[in-house]
Amino acid sequence: MLNLVLFGPPGCGKGTQSARLVAAYNLIHLSTGDLLRSEIAHGTALGLEAKKLMDQGVLVPDEVVIGMINSKLEANKSAKGFIFDGFPRTIAQAEALDKLLAGKNTSIKAMLALDVEYDELVKRILHRGEDSGRSDDTDPVIIGKRIEEYNKKTAPLIEYYQKQNKYHRIIGKGTIEEIFAKLCNVIDSL
Ligand code: AP5
Ligand code: MG
């Protein structure tokens, strides 16, 4: 199986590049942000709880997202591999993911980390917010909070995957096609 973590701060291009990578490598895209927004759209209890936190730009509890990922792994047992987008986001999530995959006799092959500077992230998210309908995309204070959460709780995962020799840094500035080509180069060299 080819299991990849597509990593990076809010607005770095995880969703954009995931869409291209799933098509090129025949993988399944698992975005916890998309899964949570689907819960919100369906008005579930989980969605209502998650929305309060997402609207503030803070992370939802680890158990919630780990549970969602577990059921998606179970539902796609014959998959060729997965792209994890926006998950894991804490050390606890990364450890849980390693355990879940080990239980299925597989593991993460690589972490592809998109590196984009702060001002560019805010610019991209505000631009998308003009028509995304995402309530966390329009207020610069909330966007700043999302980036702060990333720096505090999520960036430490770089070291977690570095220790496993799985960390690959990719400069995330440039055209979408240029960045996609760089990601493919790394994947093809694995
Ligand atoms: P989530 O949905 O994961 O959002 P995010 O990580 O904040 O990232 P985005 O989806 O905003 O950005 P992206 O990196 O996918 O970039 P995109 O490709 O869209 O999470 C939302 C919330 O859910 C969190 O705040 C949290 O509350 C909760 N949550 C989710 N997962 C969780 C977890 N595991 N644990 C706890 N809580 C969790 O690109 C952005 C824009 O830039 C687009 O408009 C795109 O067209 C444009 N763009 C892309 N590439 C380029 C380029 N090269 N040049 C110019 N523009 C570009
Ligand atoms: Mg996304």
Side-chain angles (χ1 to χ4, degrees), residues 5-76:
V5 172
L6 192 51
F7 187 84
C12 71
K14 301 183 293 296
T16 304
Q17 297 296 340
S18 289
R20 285 167 172 72
L21 292 170
V22 291
Y25 293 91
N26 195 11
L27 304 171
I28 290 188
H29 180 205
L30 291 185
S31 155
T32 40
D34 288 349
L35 292 171
L36 289 166
R37 281 184 290 277
S38 161
E39 295 284 338
I40 294 172
H42 287 94
T44 65
L46 189 159
L48 288 175
E49 274 311 302
K51 184 173 178 1
K52 288 183 209 157
L53 298 165
M54 291 165 79
D55 282 352
Q56 295 168 50
V58 299
L59 297 185
V60 305
D62 289 333
E63 317 78 82
V64 172
V65 288
I66 293 166
M68 290 193 313
I69 289 290
N70 188 24
S71 48
K72 286 292 170 189
L73 293 179
E74 283 297 309
N76 291 285

Side-chain angles (χ1 to χ4, degrees), residues 1 3 70 73-74 77 95-108:
M1 277 179 103
N3 300 311
N70 188 24
L73 293 179
E74 283 297 309
K77 281 191 170 141
E95 289 172 347
L97 179 61
D98 279 349
K99 262 196 209 147
L100 284 177
L101 293 175
K104 298 174 195 313
N105 293 316
T106 186
S107 60
I108 292 295

Side-chain angles (χ1 to χ4, degrees), residues 116-148:
V116 177
E117 63 195 31
Y118 190 97
D119 290 350
E120 173 74 12
L121 297 172
V122 176
K123 197 174 92 188
R124 287 186 192 177
I125 294 174
L126 283 173
H127 183 67
R128 183 182 57 192
E130 289 167 16
D131 56 14
S132 70
R134 271 180 65 169
S135 47
D136 58 349
D137 272 356
T138 46
D139 180 347
V141 176
I142 301 294
I143 296 169
K145 182 71 196 170
R146 286 163 60 191
I147 299 173
E148 187 190 319

